Amino acid sequence: MTVPVRITVNGRPVERDVEPRLLLVHFIRVFAEQTGTKIGCDTSQCGACTVLIDGVSAKSCTTLAVQADGSSVTTIEGLSDGEQLHPLQESFWNKHGLQCGFCTPGMILASHELLRTNASPSEAEIRHGLEGNMCRCTGYQNIVRAVRDAAETMATAK
Amino acid sequence: MFAANFEYHRAGSVAEARQLLAAHPGAKLLAGGHSLIPLLKLRLAAPEAVIDIGRIGELRGISNGGGALRIGALTTHAEIASSDAVKSGAAALAEAAGLIGDPAVRNRGTIGGNVAHADPASDLPTVLIALDATFTVNSPDGERSVSAADFFQGMMATALGEHDILTAVNVPAGGGGSAYVKFSHPASRYAVVGAAASLTVAGGTCTSASVAVGGATAVPARCASVEAALAGQALSADVIAAAAAAAGGDLGDDLLGDVFASGDYRRAVTPVYVQRALAAAAERAG
Ligand SMILES: Cc1cc2nc3c(=O)[nH]c(=O)nc-3n(C[C@H](O)[C@H](O)[C@H](O)COP(=O)(O)OP(=O)(O)OC[C@H]3O[C@@H](n4cnc5c(N)ncnc54)[C@H](O)[C@@H]3O)c2cc1C
Ligand code: FES
Ligand code: FES
C-alpha cells in the first residue's frame, strides 16, 4: 500500500506516494533532498533529527511521513533567509557551539523551539530546553552560550 | 530502522475510527506515535493496519465544568503543561506533563496515548491515580466511564478492549493542592520513581490526602498508610516526613528492578520523593 503525501519542506511542496511506514526524516532527506537533518540514534533519544512541523519542534525519526501530510516542515536549510543566516546559526558559529557539527541542525531547531516558548531563558532553562538533544563533542558549554547570545540578538532586533 | 509494512487509515472522527476498527481486526490506533512508532521500528509491534486518530478535532482540548477538567485524549503533554486551567486545578498533572521526556516529545505525545500504553515508567498514570481521575471510553456498545483504580490493570495492560477508543480523561479540579516529583532516568528521562500527592487542608489540618507512587511497580501504587498517617493532622514538616517514611511499605512485594535501579533501591528512595511531593502539595494547599 502507498499513500499520497504532500509536505511543504522549506517552502517547497514535495508530493510522493509513500509507504505508510516511511519516516518523516527519510522523506526529508531522500524526497525533499534536504540532507541537513541527521539521523543519530534512530531511537527517539538524541534529537539529531529535530525539525519544525508547522513551526513546532518534533523528532522526525519518530514521526511518519503520513502524519506530516499537509504540513509545512522547516529544517536547518530553511532557517536562513537566503544568504542571511538566522541569529541562532550566527551565534552557534560565533560562540563555537559546534565541533563535528552532527548534532548541530537538531540542536539549532531545538533551540528555536526554546526561544519560541521562552524568549529570554536562563542558563538552567536552556539546559532543560535542550534536554532531548545529545552532543558528543562540545560538552554543551558553548551551546548554552550560543543560545543565550542568540536570545540577546533576537531581543535587540525586535 | 524500518517498521514492517502496514496499511494506513486516517480517521476524521470518532465514528469513523469506530468503523475502521470494526473493519480491521487487530489494527492499532495511532495518536502522537511516541510510544507506538518506536515499537513498530523495533518490530515489537507489527499490526496489519494502523488507524491514525491524530487529526480528530473532537478529541483535543481542555474544558472546565462541574468541578472537573475534561481533557481530550489527543491533548498533548505540552498543551497540558502550559494550560492555566490545569495549572490551577490540578497542578500535579501540569507538573508531570512538563517533566515528560523533552520538549519535542511533549509536542507530539498525548495524554490518551500515554495512559493507553500504560508503561510502568510513565508519569501520568501515577498522577491520575492520585487525583482520582476517570476515563471516558467509547466502546462498540456505547460510552462508559472507568475509574483510574480500575483502568490500570498491569504492566502495559489497561481496561481498554481491542475495539475501545479512549476519548477523554476527567480530573477533579479544585480544593486543595497537588504536586508531582520524579527521579528521572538520566538517559531516557522516564520515571525511575515518581510520586504524586494531593492534599486538602482546612484550618491548618489535613482533611484528605491521596498519594501514589509510580515507576517502582507494574501499576502505580496508592500509599494507604501514608494517607492514613496524614488525615486529621496539622501538616508540619515533621508530620510529613514521618508519614512519608512508611511509603516504601505501601509498594508491596513485587518491585521492578533493572541494571540502573534495583527494586530495593527504588523502595529505599520512595519516601524521599513522597516527602517532597507532600511538602510541595501542602504549600499549595495553603
Ligand atoms: C524519547 C522519549 C522519552 C519519553 N519520556 C517519557 C517520560 O519521561 N514520561 C512519560 O510518561 N512518557 C515518556 N515518553 C512516552 C510519551 O509520553 C508518549 O508520547 C506516550 O506514552 C504515548 O502517547 P502518544 O500519543 O505518542 O501515543 P501513541 O504512540 O500514538 O500510542 C500509544 C498506544 O496507545 C494507544 N492509543 C493511543 N491513543 C489512544 C486512544 N485515544 N484510545 C485508545 N488507545 C489509544 C495506541 O494504539 C498505542 O498502543 C517518552 C517517549 C519518548 C519517545
Ligand atoms: S535520530 Fe531521531 S532522536 Fe536520534
Ligand atoms: S558537535 Fe559533534 S555531536 Fe555535537
Side-chain angles (χ1 to χ4, degrees), chain B residues 148-184:
Chain B
D150 292 337
F151 186 84
F152 297 104
Q153 300 191 337
M155 187 177 293
M156 296 178 167
T158 69
L160 292 172
E162 201 173 303
H163 292 274
D164 286 341
I165 303 167
L166 177 69
T167 54
V169 178
N170 310 285
V171 185
S178 67
Y180 180 74
V181 182
K182 118 196 231 196
F183 174 8
S184 298

Side-chain angles (χ1 to χ4, degrees), chain A residues 36 47-50 102-111 133:
Chain A
C49 65
T50 305
F102 196 83
C103 71
T104 314
M107 201 61 89
I108 287 183
L109 288 156
S111 304
N133 293 71

Side-chain angles (χ1 to χ4, degrees), chain A residues 21 42 57 59 61 66-67, chain B residues 1 3 10 41 55 102:
Chain A
R21 63 176 171 169
D42 206 2
S57 70
K59 294 183 178 182
C61 79
V66 287
Q67 287 179 292
Chain B
M1 291 183 296
R10 189 179 291 157
K41 287 170 71 178
R55 298 175 192 230
D102 58 62

Side-chain angles (χ1 to χ4, degrees), chain A residues 70-139:
Chain A
S71 308
S72 280
V73 168
T74 307
T75 69
I76 190 69
E77 292 98 330
L79 216 52
S80 57
D81 182 4
E83 292 293 294
Q84 178 70 43
L85 292 181
H86 186 279
L88 275 164
Q89 293 172 305
E90 286 283 354
S91 296
F92 269 70
W93 183 356
N94 291 332
K95 298 288 169 190
H96 308 286
L98 62 145
Q99 288 178 25
C100 79
F102 196 83
C103 71
T104 314
M107 201 61 89
I108 287 183
L109 288 156
S111 304
H112 189 280
E113 175 73 7
L114 172 66
L115 297 182
R116 180 182 75 82
T117 50
N118 179 355
S120 179
S122 66
E123 174 170 348
E125 286 168 337
I126 294 172
R127 290 183 186 275
H128 185 57
L130 298 181
E131 227 165 32
N133 293 71
M134 312 279 162
C135 175
R136 303 305 300 268
C137 304
T138 64

Side-chain angles (χ1 to χ4, degrees), chain B residues 12 30 34 51 63 65 100 106 112 118 130 154 159 174 188 193 226-227 234 247 270 279 282 285-286:
Chain B
L30 173 71
H34 271 51
I51 299 169
S63 56
I100 288 178
R106 298 195 287 273
S188 76
V193 168
V226 180
E227 295 172 0
T270 290

Side-chain angles (χ1 to χ4, degrees), chain A residues 1 19-21 23 26 42-45 53 56-59 61-64 66-67 69 113 129 131-132 134, chain B residues 1-3 5-8 10 30-32 34 37-38 41 43 52 55 98 101-104 107-108 187-189:
Chain A
M1 176 192 212
E19 285 186 348
R21 63 176 171 169
L23 299 171
H26 292 124
D42 206 2
T43 56
S44 334
Q45 307 285 335
I53 302 177
V56 174
S57 70
K59 294 183 178 182
C61 79
T62 314
T63 307
L64 300 172
V66 287
Q67 287 179 292
D69 182 24
E113 175 73 7
E131 227 165 32
M134 312 279 162
Chain B
M1 291 183 296
F2 283 87
N5 265 318
F6 50 82
E7 273 183 42
Y8 174 80
R10 189 179 291 157
L30 173 71
H34 271 51
I37 294 170
K41 287 170 71 178
R43 303 203 178 197
D52 187 354
R55 298 175 192 230
D102 58 62
N107 284 339
R108 306 281 309 170
S188 76
R189 290 171 298 282

Side-chain angles (χ1 to χ4, degrees), chain B residues 62-64 69 71 75 77-95 173-174:
Chain B
I62 301 166
S63 56
N64 198 344
L69 297 165
I71 303 175
T75 311
H77 307 321
E79 287 162 345
I80 293 170
S82 63
S83 154
D84 289 331
V86 181
K87 282 194 257 186
S88 65
L93 182 59
E95 210 157 43

